[in-house]
């Protein structure tokens, strides 16, 4: 039998179709990747409160296991953090209660307190989301119906994107309530590669830094960290099979969406070209990091700064320009260079753009057919604003 790459033991795990490891070297390697991402960024101080966001899926269940392992160590490698756990229920389907109950069970197993909220809480601008610990929240059917109506009024791609933004908002809000300055989310390098390409297709190219990088600093008080960003889906699957972790499967991504097509594309390509995901992520790392903390005007939905930078034409201007060109006669050619006309057209095509919503979120808004935005967003939009 062939030997492990790192020691003399027989190899039990094959990664990337060629690298052989024994269980123990594999686990060491994964834990090292997890710790070094946190360590090299030097962002956490000792005994920091962190909020673990748990969906019940493979990645977040593994994240919980790794944090638990890290804080149980007795050496200099001990992870010095105080974890709190959060599970967001929904949207939609019936097995949500079952998923939430399983998450409660696994948190109990690790000895973490779990706070559970419903995603539909987002529709109200309520001050307190967290009601009790280690128990299911009461269901508020009015909020659920409103939230479902909002979702049903959007095409699947916009729904996926909207749900992601809503969850980020709720994570940050709960973190503040629990006095956590940091949030751990469980995106693997595979998920991040899919998210990067999805971001580009839904017009969020300028937001890649916060959406794909280790640190998401869109909020002034709470930072979202992605400590699993160097771990691939393949490694994750090996990890859960060695540790006999049983995640509750709940893939929330809707079929027939751009995100699901991209996910299949990346996964299939990775199967035959083992460096697909790492190449995509390395490209993302090369996209310049710029400090946007000094900007105050941000999108009310996704909290990104507006992208009106520089002289290069943006996706928005390009879309508006082509709309103008296709709707005007050729003689009016000069009008295409009239900035106020471009601005007017962009506002009619993309409501609230660059005033309250970024390009990506305004596109979601423009694709909502049946319903209006949730209260929490409306409050900030100042509905009297005639710019709609
Ligand atoms: Zn070994
Ligand atoms: Zn936005």
């Amino acid at each position: 039998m062939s030997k492990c790459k790192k020691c003399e033991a027989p190899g039990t795990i094959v990664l990337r179709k060629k690298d052989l490891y024994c269980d123990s070297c594999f686990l060491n390697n994964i834990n090292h990747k997890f710790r070094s991402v946190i360590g090299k960024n030097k962002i956490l101080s000792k005994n920091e409160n962190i909020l673990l966001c748990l969906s019940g899926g493979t990645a977040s269940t593994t994240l919980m296991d790794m944090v638990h392992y890290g804080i149980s160590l007795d050496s200099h490698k001990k992870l010095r953090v105080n974890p709190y756990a959060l599970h967001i229920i929904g949207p939609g389907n019936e097995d949500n209660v079952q998923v939430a109950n399983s998450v409660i069970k696994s948190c109990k197993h690790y000895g973490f307190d779990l706070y559970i909220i419903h995603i539909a809480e987002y529709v109200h601008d309520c001050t307190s989301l967290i009601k009790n610990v280690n128990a299911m929240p009461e269901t508020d059917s009015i909020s659920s119906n409103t939230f479902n109506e909002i979702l049903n009024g959007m095409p699947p791609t916009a729904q996926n994107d909207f749900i992601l933004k809503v969850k980020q908002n709720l994570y940050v809000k709960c973190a503040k309530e629990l006095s956590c300055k940091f949030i751990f989310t469980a995106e693997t390098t595979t998920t991040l590669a899919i998210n990067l390409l999805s971001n580009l297709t839904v017009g969020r190219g300028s937001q890649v830094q916060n959406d794909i990088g280790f640190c998401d600093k869109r909020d002034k008080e709470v930072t979202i960290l992605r400590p699993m960003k160097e771990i691939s889906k393949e490694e994750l699957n090996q990890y859960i099979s060695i540790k006999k972790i049983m995640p509750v499967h709940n893939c929330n991504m809707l079929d027939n969406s751009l995100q699901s097509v991209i996910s299949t594309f990346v996964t299939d390509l990775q199967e035959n070209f083992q460096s697909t995901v790492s190449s995509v992520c390395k490209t993302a790392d090369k996209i310049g990091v710029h400090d946007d903390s000094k900007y105050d005007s941000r999108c009310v939905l996704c909290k990104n700064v507006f992208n009106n930078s520089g002289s290069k034409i943006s996706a928005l201007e390009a879309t508006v320009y082509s709309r103008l060109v296709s709707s005007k006669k050729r003689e009016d050619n000069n009008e295409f260079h009239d900035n106020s006309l471009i601005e007017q057209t962009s506002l009619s095509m993309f409501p609230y753009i660059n005033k309250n919503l970024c390009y990506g979120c305004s596109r979601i808004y423009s694709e909502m057919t049946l319903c209006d935005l949730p209260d929490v967003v409306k409050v900030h939009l100042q509905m009297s604003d005639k710019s709609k």
Side-chain angles (χ1 to χ4, degrees):
M1 189 182 234
S2 311
K3 281 177 188 164
C4 163
K5 243 180 112 169
K6 302 264 174 181
C7 72
E8 293 294 301
T12 47
I13 289 163
V14 189
L15 288 180
R16 296 167 289 272
K17 294 186 174 171
K18 59 180 174 41
D19 301 328
L20 209 61
Y21 291 91
C22 68
D23 283 9
S24 129
C25 290
F26 169 79
L27 290 178
N28 276 342
N29 189 26
I30 292 282
N31 277 303
H32 173 75
K33 278 190 184 183
F34 174 72
R35 295 300 305 280
S36 75
V37 169
I38 299 174
K40 77 178 171 211
N41 286 283
K42 292 195 177 102
I43 192 163
L44 291 178
S45 3
K46 261 187 192 168
N47 301 321
E48 199 78 73
N49 291 345
I50 51 153
L51 185 66
L52 299 176
C53 298
L54 309 174
S55 68
T58 315
S60 64
T61 313
T62 307
L63 172 67
M64 177 159 60
D65 189 78
M66 286 179 166
V67 170
H68 177 258
Y69 175 77
I71 58 174
S72 326
L73 286 173
D74 209 7
S75 60
H76 65 281
K77 285 185 178 168
K78 186 180 168 77
L79 184 63
R80 290 172 206 285
V81 294
N82 304 320
Y84 293 76
L86 175 72
H87 175 69
I88 297 181
I89 303 179
N93 69 55
E94 314 71 47
D95 37 284
N96 281 334
V97 176
Q98 199 198 328
V99 173
N101 278 322
S102 308
V103 180
I104 296 182
K105 233 167 97 185
S106 45
C107 280
K108 214 177 209 169
H109 169 75
Y110 291 109
F112 295 159
D113 275 339
L114 178 68
Y115 299 87
I116 306 176
I117 61 164
H118 202 286
I119 194 164
E121 298 274 348
Y122 179 75
V123 298
H124 304 302
D125 199 9
C126 46
T127 42
S128 163
L129 289 167
I130 287 165
K131 310 250 160 44
N132 46 17
V133 63
N134 298 326
M136 293 288 286
E138 278 173 36
T139 36
D140 161 12
S141 55
I142 300 172
S143 308
S144 295
N145 291 342
T146 314
F147 193 79
N148 288 340
E149 271 173 35
I150 292 170
L151 281 185
N152 293 336
M154 297 178 205
T157 303
Q159 280 190 45
N160 282 330
D161 190 56
F162 181 69
I163 291 169
L164 216 64
K165 301 302 162 206
V166 167
K167 284 191 170 171
Q168 273 169 355
N169 275 286
L170 293 174
Y171 293 158
V172 169
K173 229 175 146 180
C174 290
K176 285 178 186 171
E177 276 185 46
L178 293 165
S179 309
C180 297
K181 275 197 281 176
F182 294 92
I183 296 172
F184 279 7
T185 56
E187 295 96 331
T188 58
T189 177
T190 316
T191 313
L192 291 174
I194 295 165
N195 290 359
L196 168 68
L197 298 176
S198 303
N199 252 38
L200 298 180
T201 55
V202 298
R204 296 190 184 279
S206 64
Q207 303 169 359
V208 158
Q209 178 196 337
N210 278 319
D211 281 331
I212 317 296
F214 173 66
C215 259
D216 174 346
K217 289 185 172 178
R218 270 170 282 204
D219 191 90
K220 277 183 185 150
E221 294 158 46
V222 176
T223 308
I224 300 178
L225 303 178
R226 305 187 176 94
M228 315 230 329
K229 77 180 278 281
E230 306 281 320
I231 298 168
S232 70
K233 185 105 193 289
E234 186 192 14
E235 291 168 315
L236 202 66
N237 290 336
Q238 299 282 10
Y239 186 96
I240 60 162
S241 94
I242 297 174
K243 292 217 135 187
K244 304 202 168 43
I245 293 170
M246 304 282 264
V248 203
H249 269 284
N250 65 332
C251 178
N252 288 322
M253 196 189 281
L254 292 171
D255 289 342
N256 306 325
S257 61
L258 276 171
Q259 294 93 340
S260 65
V261 172
I262 289 170
S263 172
T264 314
F265 170 73
V266 170
T267 318
D268 289 354
L269 201 61
Q270 173 73 16
E271 183 55 32
N272 292 314
F273 301 96
Q274 294 287 317
S275 51
T276 303
V277 164
S278 65
S279 310
V280 172
C281 288
K282 271 180 199 146
T283 313
D285 285 340
K286 283 182 195 145
I287 297 171
V289 176
H290 54 93
D291 178 19
D292 60 14
S293 57
K294 57 184 184 292
Y295 296 99
D296 274 332
S297 55
R298 287 175 181 267
C299 171
V300 295
L301 187 54
C302 72
K303 313 289 191 262
N304 276 292
V305 296
F306 300 124
N307 179 38
N308 331 325
S309 59
S311 54
K312 283 182 199 147
I313 192 158
S314 66
L316 166 71
E317 286 150 342
T319 314
V320 170
Y321 192 81
S322 61
R323 167 72 66 95
L324 273 174
V325 171
S326 54
S327 65
K328 291 269 173 187
K329 285 185 195 140
R330 283 199 123 177
E331 303 88 80
D332 300 339
N333 217 356
N334 279 338
E335 277 195 43
F336 302 148
H337 301 289
D338 177 354
N339 279 341
S340 67
L341 185 67
I342 290 199
E343 199 176 313
Q344 239 175 29
T345 315
S346 30
L347 277 170
S348 67
M349 281 174 75
F350 298 106
Y352 302 108
I353 186 119
N354 291 342
K355 291 199 164 60
N356 314 85
L357 295 176
C358 69
Y359 174 63
C361 292
S362 178
R363 267 180 49 148
I364 292 184
Y365 187 85
S366 70
E367 286 178 353
M368 284 177 162
T369 48
L370 298 169
C371 232
D372 221 341
L373 281 164
D375 292 354
V376 62
V377 177
K378 272 196 273 185
V379 170
H380 298 284
L381 283 179
Q382 296 144 356
M383 295 309 272
S384 58
D385 189 344
K386 294 280 188 293
S387 61
K388 188 184 166 183

